[in-house]
Amino acid sequence: DIIATGDADGTVGFKCHYSNRFWAADSFGTVGCRAASISDASTKFSVVRNADGTVVVKTSFGLYLSAEITGALVANRQVALGWEEFHIVVEPGPGQRVGNDPELARLWAMQDWMGYDIDATEAWHIWTGQSGAGITVAIVDTGIDYTHPELRENMWVNPLE
């Protein structure tokens, strides 16, 4: 598991869940989970979203991350091509669910690692977790499709109407 954390300068750091360390890249293109903290340029990455929903990740040395056919991660490309494009997958943590929309990764406004979003996953955490019991959300919209498969089982109707 990789966890991305945003920084005030617009860069992100990646924390490896299994080792509790951060990605670090050097000028030779070597990338690994070897830094104890996000403390210098080697641990800061820029992430650029492509129109097709993929992202490219660039090191502070100006090199793009690439996934080798063996699964190894390196940062030795000066131009971003197909091997340098990644898909972001949002997965729930313990006690949390996220939407099952297959296009969720393309909906950057729902969950964005830089904070430019509506905090949808945080809302799902509250709604689907223990602290959301008994909360009713009202949608005031005459255009809602109450027969939609993702909504029909969760629609609440005021019994007094």
Side-chain angles (χ1 to χ4, degrees):
D1 296 344
I2 304 292
I3 301 167
T5 59
D7 201 355
D9 64 2
T11 61
V12 295
F14 295 96
K15 186 174 187 180
C16 301
H17 177 70
Y18 66 89
S19 67
N20 208 26
R21 298 183 73 77
F22 291 89
W23 279 5
D26 60 30
S27 61
F28 302 107
T30 305
V31 178
C33 294
R34 58 181 180 263
S37 65
I38 302 175
S39 57
D40 60 36
S42 71
T43 59
K44 296 185 178 193
F45 299 85
S46 298
V47 179
V48 179
R49 184 176 299 273
N50 298 319
D52 64 359
T54 61
V55 297
V56 292
V57 180
K58 195 173 189 180
T59 71
S60 60
F61 301 103
L63 299 172
Y64 290 95
L65 264 66
S66 175
E68 298 289 325
I69 199 160
T70 62
L73 191 62
V74 295
N76 59 5
R77 305 293 203 282
Q78 294 182 358
V79 177
L81 301 171
W83 288 102
E84 292 77 29
E85 296 177 353
F86 297 91
H87 293 272
I88 295 178
V89 178
V90 179
E91 295 199 10
Q96 181 181 1
R97 296 186 326 194
V98 296
N100 61 359
D101 186 339
E103 297 295 319
L104 183 63
R106 296 185 72 172
L107 303 173
W108 65 267
M110 301 294 272
Q111 174 64 27
D112 185 71
W113 60 92
M114 296 299 294
Y116 304 115
D117 60 17
I118 63 170
D119 292 337
T121 54
E122 290 84 349
W124 283 320
H125 179 70
I126 292 169
W127 177 253
T128 62
Q130 296 176 351
S131 62
I135 296 174
T136 301
V137 176
I139 300 172
V140 182
D141 184 349
T142 58
I144 193 166
D145 180 5
Y146 61 88
T147 63
H148 189 282
E150 291 183 14
L151 298 177
R152 67 175 168 233
E153 300 302 319
N154 295 303
M155 294 299 293
W156 178 81
V157 178
N158 185 345
L160 300 176
E161 289 184 351

